[in-house]
Structure formats: structure tokens, C-alpha cells
């Protein structure tokens, strides 16, 4: 799967399924609740991702009978012998756990950007301490660069734009400054807990096991 949105969705799906197997509609609800960027996530974008993960052997599907009131979009086309719809449940395979560990270990520049940082942060509980710290420090560095660019633009244009545009610039600057302060607190907390020397095991990623 490519990076950007599809790669972020891959990480989010594997991360959620690592907690517990889920039906498609349950997974979509979890993604919508946990990841603000995916609040508008549709079955049309989720299911192609699931199909790719299935084809790659990173997840497997099981079937059980759908209960009353189960959304039709969450079910497969198969029916059980009783005539009730057969509901697909997705679970992570051993290969999927390895792929998730690989994705969670990616603490480079891509993880610092707006599209990916929030998703990585949502799964910090499954991420090694040194990677968490690297992502937080990288994100802070990226925002400090943005903050300087906004200040420079503010200085250059303040005499040539109206008061509403200036307020928009000021609002953007304040938002970045708030996030930098928040990151400073998180970084201090990580370092106090041991920082890069505290290479803790992720919470929910087990050793390789048979799928």
C-alpha cells in the first residue's frame, strides 16, 4: 500500500485489529471515534483497504451470524445454513503483527507531518519509547519551522493586508504555539520516564505466533 492516506489507513486498521478482532462496521466506528482525520471514513474507503490487507496475508477473516439490526454494509454476501447473514470478523495474523511493528517503528519525517502524526500518536501505547520520543521531537521541530515561517510572513505582509487576514495569521501562529507547548510537556514526560534509554516493549504486540 502507498503512503499518505492509504498508508495511514493501513496503520490505523492494523493497530485497531491488534487490540481485538472486529467486524467491519465495528472497525469503522472505532476508527471514526479514535482518529479525527477519519471521522468521514466510509465503507467505500475502508473495504478496499481490508481487501488489500487480506490479499497480503496481514489479516484474516472469520464468519459468524449477524445479529438483529446489524447494518447491511457490514455483512458479506454469504449466508449461513440457518439462512441468516454471515458476518465477517477480521483479525490480525502473525504477518500482520510483524507489519504493524514495522509501521510503528517508523519514526522518520513522514510521521511528523499533519497527515500521519495524529495516527501514530493514537497508537503510542503500542510503540517503543525511543520511537515515541523521536516522533515527538521531530513533530516539535517541524512545527517550530512552521512557526518561524508564519512569523516571517506576518512581518512581511502586515502592512499590505487587511485586519481579518492579520487575525487569521495570528490565529494560525497561536495554534502552532499551543501545540509546541503541548509537545514540550509530552517530551519532558517521556524523558522523565526514561526517554530513549527506556526501550519498553509495546503494550499489545506479541511475539510472532502462528496465525
Amino acid at each position: 500500500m502507498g503512503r499518505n492516506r492509504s498508508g495511514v489507513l493501513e496503520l490505523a486498521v492494523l493497530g485497531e485489529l491488534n487490540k481485538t478482532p472486529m467486524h467491519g462496521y465495528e472497525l469503522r466506528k472505532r476508527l471514526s471515534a479514535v482518529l479525527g482525520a477519519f471521522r468521514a471514513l466510509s465503507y467505500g474507503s475502508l473495504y478496499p483497504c481490508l481487501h488489500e490487507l487480506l490479499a497480503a496475508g496481514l489479516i484474516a477473516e472469520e464468519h459468524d451470524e449477524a445479529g438483529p439490526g446489524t447494518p447491511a454494509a457490514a455483512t458479506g454476501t454469504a449466508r449461513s445454513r440457518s439462512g441468516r447473514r454471515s458476518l465477517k470478523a477480521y483479525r490480525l495474523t502473525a504477518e500482520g503483527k510483524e507489519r504493524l511493528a514495522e509501521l510503528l517503528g517508523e519514526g522518520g519525517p513522514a510521521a511528523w507531518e499533519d497527515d500521519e502524526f495524529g495516527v501514530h500518536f493514537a497508537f503510542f501505547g503500542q510503540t517503543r519509547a525511543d520511537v515515541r520520543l523521536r516522533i515527538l521531537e521531530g513533530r516539535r521541530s517541524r512545527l517550530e519551522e512552521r512557526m518561524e515561517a508564519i512569523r516571517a510572513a506576518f512581518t512581511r505582509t502586515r502592512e499590505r493586508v487587511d485586519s481579518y487576514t492579520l487575525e487569521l495569521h495570528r490565529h494560525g501562529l497561536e495554534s502552532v504555539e499551543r501545540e509546541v507547548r503541548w509537545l514540550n510537556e509530552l517530551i519532558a514526560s517521556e524523558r522523565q520516564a526514561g526517554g530513549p534509554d527506556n526501550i519498553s516493549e509495546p503494550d499489545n504486540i506479541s511475539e510472532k505466533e502462528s496465525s
Side-chain angles (χ1 to χ4, degrees):
M1 299 181 78
R3 293 310 298 163
N4 299 326
R5 187 173 178 85
S6 62
V8 170
L9 183 54
E10 178 188 12
L11 170 58
V13 169
L14 295 179
E16 285 300 321
L17 290 180
N18 188 53
K19 300 173 184 177
T20 184
M22 291 185 224
H23 302 130
Y25 76 97
E26 292 174 326
L27 179 58
R28 179 174 178 262
K29 286 167 62 177
R30 284 292 304 157
L31 292 173
S32 297
V34 173
L35 308 174
F38 292 146
R39 284 189 183 130
L41 181 67
S42 68
Y43 289 113
S45 58
L46 174 58
Y47 279 97
C49 175
L50 291 174
H51 292 157
E52 288 189 36
L53 296 177
L54 282 166
L58 302 180
I59 63 175
E61 61 183 21
E62 301 167 340
H63 294 267
D64 58 19
E65 291 186 354
T70 302
T75 63
T77 57
R79 289 180 177 270
S80 67
R81 293 180 179 179
S82 65
R84 303 181 70 184
R85 290 195 308 272
S86 178
L87 187 62
K88 293 179 182 178
Y90 300 93
R91 61 174 177 82
L92 217 56
T93 64
E95 291 78 7
K97 290 179 183 292
E98 290 182 349
R99 175 58 177 161
L100 176 59
E102 177 186 333
L103 292 173
L104 291 174
E106 294 178 356
W112 311 344
E113 302 297 343
D114 295 344
D115 289 343
E116 295 204 20
F117 172 72
V119 180
H120 278 274
F121 189 83
F123 297 104
F124 264 17
Q126 303 179 44
T127 304
R128 293 200 325 265
D130 63 316
V131 178
R132 293 197 302 264
L133 187 59
R134 186 161 67 247
I135 291 174
L136 291 172
E137 290 178 335
R139 176 64 175 175
R140 181 177 64 182
S141 176
R142 183 69 77 247
L143 289 180
E144 286 173 342
E145 294 173 0
R146 186 179 302 174
M147 197 161 49
E148 290 306 311
I150 294 174
R151 285 172 177 161
F154 188 83
T155 301
R156 289 195 308 269
T157 62
R158 65 184 309 163
E159 302 298 330
R160 303 196 303 271
V161 299
D162 59 37
S163 61
Y164 296 103
T165 302
L166 288 176
E167 282 302 314
L168 186 61
H169 285 187
R170 185 175 291 110
H171 174 69
L173 180 59
E174 290 174 351
S175 297
V176 175
E177 289 173 339
R178 280 195 301 271
E179 186 170 348
V180 169
R181 289 194 295 270
W182 174 66
L183 289 168
N184 285 336
E185 293 173 358
L186 291 170
I187 290 168
S189 177
E190 288 287 337
R191 288 176 175 165
Q192 185 176 6
D197 295 324
N198 180 22
I199 313 296
S200 60
E201 290 297 324
D203 289 348
N204 295 312
I205 301 181
S206 62
E207 297 295 326
K208 184 177 180 179
E209 58 189 36
S210 59
S211 57

